[in-house]
């Protein structure tokens, strides 16, 4: 098999096989990276055009014991149903890894459900997106040491080139991997928001004539250099005005969970919270809150407000009025 750029594994995983459930954007690329590292992969997906086997039972039958099965499906009900279904086709001594973006509170129930059947369980937060095939994935794992060792050839194949500890962490017991990934994604929210706000301010200035060049000039040597900055530069190279992209921004759940955890632990997260709320604001064509602010300014200070049909800027406020 052809190895993908950056692969660095020896033969330690060459005789290993793994089942992989979910062959979407992430799962499909993970299958390719694993195969490139010499690990046999039996993939299952409801779409027959990408699936290697027709059913979960067929997947279990195709794998040698003890089986290792990686679940890479959307969090919530789909993951829970998949875990339950695997309990019906796997055997004692097998191992299930949930690599999706599940909430960490789901992990202990999943481990208990499978544990009653003698099946092991690990949770693994995975970062890397569509670039993981080439660059490798950052992995954060929760579970027993013995189960982690059992799956280590898989983790080594998926992680980036270089020292294991720079792309893989055994974060703690079951649930710790997804908890670490939750916090990782919360930090990601804040970083993206900071870059976005800086971009907007540069763009609003009449002094800075080449915003993409400024951002690219930060790519080496500056304290704000990062892969996220590189991706922003790439996006601006492909679409200099970002005209083809809507400002509507989704959130996958981890940002919300991070903020809720911060409330439970009384840990201040002003940056991450603000970044989450900015995503909510991006989905409002007209903000009821800002309408109320405009109305209040008009009521107490006589500031002009813009009608809902107006497209121009607000008129200056009345001189000397309070705000």
């Amino acid at each position: 098999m052809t190895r993908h750029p950056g692969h660095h594994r020896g033969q330690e995983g060459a005789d290993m096989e793994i089942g992989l459930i979910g062959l979407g954007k992430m799962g499909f690329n993970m299958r390719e990276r694993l195969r490139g590292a010499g690990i046999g992969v039996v993939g299952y997906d409801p779409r027959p055009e990408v699936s290697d086997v027709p059913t979960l039972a067929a997947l279990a039958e195709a794998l040698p014991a003890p089986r290792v099965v990686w679940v890479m499906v959307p969090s919530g009900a789909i993951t829970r149903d998949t875990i339950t279904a695997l309990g019906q086709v796997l055997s004692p001594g097998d191992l299930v890894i949930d690599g999706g973006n599940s909430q960490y509170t789901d992990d202990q129930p999943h481990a208990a459900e499978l544990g009653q059947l003698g099946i092991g369980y690990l949770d693994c937060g995975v970062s890397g997106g569509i670039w993981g095939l080439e660059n490798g994935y950052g992995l954060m794992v929760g579970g027993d040491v013995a189960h982690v060792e059992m799956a280590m050839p898989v983790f080594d194949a998926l992680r980036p080139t270089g020292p294991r500890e720079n792309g893989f962490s055994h974060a703690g017991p079951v649930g710790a991997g997804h908890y670490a990934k939750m916090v990782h994604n919360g930090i990601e929210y804040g970083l993206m928001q900071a870059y976005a706000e800086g971009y907007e301010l540069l763009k609003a200035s009449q002094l800075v004539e080449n915003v993409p060049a400024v951002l690219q000039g930060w790519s080496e040597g500056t304290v704000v250099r990062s892969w996220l900055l590189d991706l922003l530069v790439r996006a601006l190279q492909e679409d200099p005005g970002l005209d083809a992209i809507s400002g509507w921004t989704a959130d996958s759940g981890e940002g919300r969970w991070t903020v809720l955890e911060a409330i439970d632990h009384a840990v201040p997260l002003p940056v991450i919270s603000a970044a989450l709320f900015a995503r909510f604001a991006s989905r409002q064509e007209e903000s009821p809150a800002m309408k109320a602010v405009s109305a209040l300014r008009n009521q107490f200070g006589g500031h002009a407000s813009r009608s809902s049909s107006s497209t121009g800027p607000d008129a200056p406020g009345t001189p000397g009025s309070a705000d």
Side-chain angles (χ1 to χ4, degrees), residues 191-230:
L191 291 172
M192 286 193 288
Q193 187 66 24
Y195 284 127
E197 290 176 7
Y199 163 74
E200 183 172 356
L201 183 56
L202 287 168
K203 196 170 184 294
S205 168
Q206 295 181 347
L207 190 61
V208 177
E209 296 180 345
N210 193 337
V211 174
V214 171
L215 294 174
Q216 186 169 0
W218 294 348
S219 298
E220 298 289 344
T222 74
V223 296
V224 299
R225 66 190 185 274
S226 75
W227 185 41
L228 283 175
L229 178 61
D230 294 342

Side-chain angles (χ1 to χ4, degrees), residues 242-286:
L242 301 181
D243 299 319
I245 300 174
S246 166
W248 196 101
T249 307
D251 68 286
S252 58
E254 290 94 339
R256 301 186 189 206
W257 302 337
T258 304
V259 171
L260 290 173
E261 281 294 305
I263 293 170
D264 287 344
H265 293 285
V267 174
L269 296 186
V271 172
I272 294 173
S273 300
L276 174 65
F277 294 142
R279 294 197 182 194
F280 295 164
S282 78
R283 304 170 204 169
Q284 295 179 303
E285 293 184 8
E286 289 188 288

Side-chain angles (χ1 to χ4, degrees), residues 171-188:
V174 166
H178 280 145
Y179 195 99
K181 180 58 162 50
M182 174 190 71
V183 176
H184 166 282
N185 280 29
I187 294 170
E188 182 183 294

Side-chain angles (χ1 to χ4, degrees), residues 166-179:
N166 289 350
F168 168 88
S169 61
H170 181 192
V174 166
H178 280 145
Y179 195 99

